[in-house]
Amino acid sequence: MLDLIAALQQPLFTVLGTPVSWTEVLGFGSGALCVWLVARQHIANWPIVIANNLFFILLFTQAGLFADAGLQVVFIALAAYGWWTWTHGPRVADKVPVRRTTRTEWALLITAGVLGTAVITVLLDTATESTVPFWDALTTALSLMATYGQCRKRLESWWLWIAADLVYIPLYAYKGLFLTALLYLGFLALCVRGLIAWRRDVVESPVMVAA
């Protein structure tokens, strides 16, 4: 297993003088496939998410983005929850409906996001070698908020992903992860497309909109 991990972390080619590993390439491919599947509300996105998280644990640990690496473990747990929810949740037209985020959910999400960003920033600044503690913490909080919304099929989860991607892109470029920055630029475009697709479901099926 250690030999496999070492092989995945070996440079495959270079971009702008920066080595790109198998881990980053596989993370790129599985991540793009995942967002494409989510936009289409396809259940297969969840096992792809888990594979993507495993690749990014290796990549972010190597890059010193410790909060993002730890975040992938939480993502795996949330993916299992989302997989179960999309399979067993209340269904309309044989699928879990897209709903809008309620005021109560927004209040809880924003409170958790602000507190989470503050706590993670302090932890990263005092207990790790992170060079970007606040930005690492902010993207962690936004991603968790967005993933929760995705698991619950909340339309506004796409806006949270868009906000996270707008921070991720320059952050990864700054850390020299140019292929990953490019991936997240693609994620941004896919998130806009997913937002439009999910919004269409809500508009065309008023019964799906939460009160």
Side-chain angles (χ1 to χ4, degrees):
M1 179 61 73
L2 292 177
D3 289 340
L4 176 60
I5 292 174
L8 288 173
Q9 293 177 324
Q10 291 301 309
L12 183 60
F13 54 86
T14 60
V15 175
L16 300 177
T18 301
V20 176
S21 66
W22 271 108
T23 306
E24 193 168 359
V25 171
L26 292 171
F28 182 104
S30 59
L33 178 59
C34 170
V35 177
W36 185 81
L37 289 169
V38 172
R40 284 154 182 76
Q41 302 180 50
H42 198 295
I43 195 70
N45 87 87
W46 295 113
I48 301 298
V49 165
I50 293 172
N52 178 255
N53 296 151
L54 294 173
F55 291 132
F56 277 143
I57 286 174
L58 297 177
L59 179 65
F60 292 147
T61 300
Q62 190 176 25
L65 293 168
F66 303 108
D68 276 342
L71 176 62
Q72 305 309 307
V73 178
V74 181
F75 277 164
I76 290 173
L78 284 173
Y81 169 68
W83 198 346
W84 186 91
T85 300
W86 283 32
T87 304
H88 297 89
R91 309 177 80 78
V92 174
D94 199 36
K95 66 179 180 181
V96 176
V98 177
R99 300 183 184 275
R100 294 189 182 278
T101 308
T102 65
R103 291 188 183 90
T104 300
E105 286 176 321
W106 270 125
L108 292 173
L109 283 171
I110 291 172
T111 300
V114 171
L115 290 176
T117 299
V119 170
I120 296 171
T121 298
V122 172
L123 288 174
L124 290 175
D125 195 37
T126 58
T128 76
E129 299 176 357
S130 176
T131 58
V132 284
F134 171 75
W135 298 109
D136 202 358
L138 177 61
T139 51
T140 298
L142 284 171
S143 297
L144 287 171
M145 293 164 67
T147 302
Y148 168 82
Q150 180 181 311
C151 290
R152 302 288 293 172
K153 275 203 174 180
R154 297 302 189 246
L155 174 65
E156 291 77 13
S157 64
W158 290 110
W159 285 113
L160 293 170
W161 277 126
I162 288 169
D165 290 345
L166 288 172
V167 180
Y168 273 129
I169 293 166
L171 176 61
Y172 290 146
Y174 173 75
K175 297 296 289 187
L177 300 173
F178 298 111
L179 186 60
T180 302
L182 179 61
L183 167 65
Y184 274 76
L185 184 62
F187 280 174
L188 182 60
L190 287 171
C191 284
V192 172
R193 184 172 180 177
L195 174 64
I196 293 170
W198 281 30
R199 179 182 287 167
R200 187 182 304 119
D201 278 0
V202 171
V203 170
E204 292 179 354
S205 303
V207 71
M208 296 183 182
V209 182

